[in-house]
Amino acid sequence: MEIFVSYLKKNFKIYTLFFAFVMIFYLIFYLYNLPFEALYYAGSFCFLIAIVASVIDYGKYRESYRSLKFLGNNLFYNLENLPKSWDIRVSYYNKIIAKLYDEIENLNSNNKIKHEDLVDYYSMWVHQIKTPIAAMNFLLDNDAIDEKHLKQELFKIERYVEMVLTYLRLDSRTTDYLITKVKLANIVKEVLKKYATLFINKKIKLNFVPHETYVVSDKKWLAFAMEQILSNAIKYTKNQGEISIKLYENRLIIEDTGIGITKEDLPRIFEKGFTGFNGRYEKKSSGLGLYLCKKTLDNLGHKIKISSEVGYGTQVEIIFPKEDKFRE
């Protein structure tokens, strides 16, 4: 009954016009004193045709209503069964529905991928953070607490927490990039101060001469990228090794005398989760540091290049856009 009432409301204007035309014919026949028998037969024939047409049209209307109702309750239904119509507006409605359906499918697919990435990341992160926690528990169980090593394990946990927060914020629309002119030496000093304990513990020699070098970047995010590079340099440099940091007009170079990276692994070092031969051998790598570093620098508009040779160390170069190019 609801469908029938809706159909009558939809065609109310047509039925009103039909009735008005009949009344016009009736008035003309009356004024010209014509026989009403001809009007009766013609009107009856037109009325019969109108009834048949209305019944057929109502059947199509009811079928399209049921199709749309089913689609409303089943958003992932096959859109090929959408109601067809000669009305160009209905065709455009169908195109809009199909486009929205595709958008939903894409969003679901992207959300599924993001969910799987988060599950993979957190699984890896939990496995990684358990190591310093276990080490801290072991140190605390001893009567003579080694404060130096305890702080070192706590520092690792802090780094892992920073990494997971950065991972969540990198693709966020609210990521707070503040691109300004910054003094590169000051950022390097802050990062070195943060990692000073690791330098001391491994007795690594540092070669760094500050220069009045300015670049266009975001201070906080650039510092994070540097931390990932410096952390890897310290991690894969043996005790009493050497790390050098050089500043140029629009370049920063970090070199170490560590174990290096194999030629086969170099093309893939920025892939998420890729650890390479050395990472698997040392069992220290999560494959996320350089991935996050590369993604951060890409977002800042910087470039990164890495060259390395097994047994002779690694050189990482960050290239900044020149100030005049940035202004353009």
Side-chain angles (χ1 to χ4, degrees):
M1 187 65 182
E2 181 184 1
I3 304 176
F4 182 71
V5 172
S6 173
Y7 179 78
L8 290 178
K9 289 180 179 179
K10 171 181 172 293
N11 295 291
F12 178 75
K13 291 181 180 179
I14 297 176
Y15 294 144
T16 302
L17 283 174
F18 180 80
F19 179 76
F21 292 156
V22 171
M23 294 306 297
I24 290 172
F25 274 94
Y26 177 83
L27 180 62
I28 291 175
F29 270 65
Y30 175 77
L31 293 176
Y32 283 90
N33 198 24
L34 298 174
F36 282 95
E37 186 176 357
L39 177 63
Y40 172 76
Y41 285 115
S44 298
F45 186 70
C46 290
F47 181 76
L48 180 62
I49 293 175
I51 290 294
V52 172
S54 295
V55 169
I56 296 173
D57 187 55
Y58 173 71
K60 293 181 178 179
Y61 181 81
R62 184 176 59 181
E63 187 65 28
S64 64
Y65 170 78
R66 289 175 177 174
S67 298
L68 290 172
K69 186 176 181 180
F70 182 84
L71 179 64
N73 296 327
N74 301 271
L75 292 178
F76 301 103
Y77 181 60
N78 187 351
L79 297 184
E80 292 180 358
N81 293 326
L82 278 172
K84 303 294 189 297
S85 174
W86 291 103
D87 191 337
I88 192 172
R89 296 173 301 173
V90 175
S91 298
Y92 270 101
Y93 287 143
N94 289 347
K95 289 180 180 179
I96 293 171
I97 293 172
K99 189 173 181 180
L100 291 174
Y101 176 82
D102 290 339
E103 289 293 329
I104 292 173
E105 286 286 285
N106 290 333
L107 287 174
N108 287 337
S109 178
N110 291 335
N111 287 335
K112 184 179 179 181
I113 293 172
K114 288 181 179 179
H115 176 72
E116 291 174 352
D117 285 346
L118 281 175
V119 170
D120 292 341
Y121 177 81
Y122 278 116
S123 300
M124 191 182 303
W125 181 80
V126 169
H127 177 74
Q128 195 173 30
I129 203 171
K130 283 168 65 178
T131 303
I133 292 175
M136 290 181 70
N137 285 327
F138 176 78
L139 292 169
L140 290 170
D141 286 340
N142 293 332
D143 293 334
I145 297 177
D146 189 336
E147 186 176 338
K148 182 178 70 174
H149 284 92
L150 197 61
K151 287 183 177 180
Q152 185 172 323
E153 298 303 325
L154 180 60
F155 176 74
K156 290 179 183 178
I157 293 175
E158 290 175 347
R159 278 202 65 249
Y160 294 148
V161 172
E162 288 177 5
M163 285 181 69
V164 75
L165 291 175
T166 302
Y167 183 83
L168 293 173
R169 293 171 58 194
L170 267 178
D171 292 326
S172 173
R173 294 181 179 179
T174 58
T175 301
D176 52 339
Y177 292 112
L178 182 61
I179 306 298
T180 58
K181 188 176 180 180
V182 296
K183 190 174 182 180
L184 192 55
N186 288 347
I187 301 176
V188 174
K189 287 178 182 177
E190 290 180 10
V191 174
L192 288 174
K193 183 179 179 181
K194 190 173 183 179
Y195 284 80
T197 304
L198 299 183
F199 274 94
I200 295 170
N201 291 344
K202 295 189 72 174
K203 299 179 181 178
I204 295 175
K205 180 182 178 182
L206 173 65
N207 297 319
F208 171 59
V209 179
H211 295 290
E212 292 291 322
T213 304
Y214 291 87
V215 295
V216 176
S217 185
D218 179 280
K219 181 179 179 180
K220 181 178 67 176
W221 287 97
L222 178 58
F224 171 80
M226 285 186 189
E227 287 178 19
Q228 306 313 307
I229 298 169
L230 191 60
S231 173
N232 279 349
I234 296 172
K235 184 189 301 182
Y236 295 111
T237 298
K238 296 181 179 180
N239 291 355
Q240 299 181 349
E242 188 175 328
I243 293 177
S244 301
I245 301 177
K246 303 173 183 177
L247 305 181
Y248 297 94
E249 181 184 359
N250 67 320
R251 291 184 300 149
L252 167 68
I253 296 177
I254 300 176
E255 296 178 325
D256 63 62
T257 58
I259 59 178
I261 305 170
T262 63
K263 187 181 297 184
E264 294 77 14
D265 289 340
L266 270 176
R268 299 186 59 191
I269 54 177
F270 296 119
E271 294 179 12
K272 183 171 64 174
F274 180 75
T275 58
F277 174 79
N278 292 330
R280 292 189 295 272
Y281 178 76
E282 295 285 331
K283 296 182 180 179
K284 297 178 181 177
S285 176
S286 64
L288 294 171
L290 285 179
Y291 165 77
L292 294 175
C293 175
K294 177 70 163 59
K295 197 161 188 179
T296 301
L297 293 176
D298 286 345
N299 290 345
L300 293 173
H302 307 336
K303 295 180 181 179
I304 181 172
K305 293 181 180 179
I306 295 183
S307 57
S308 182
E309 188 175 351
V310 175
Y312 292 92
T314 302
Q315 181 188 85
V316 181
E317 181 180 5
I318 300 177
I319 304 172
F320 304 93
K322 292 185 178 180
E323 189 176 357
D324 53 352
K325 185 177 180 181
F326 177 78
R327 287 172 178 171
E328 290 176 2

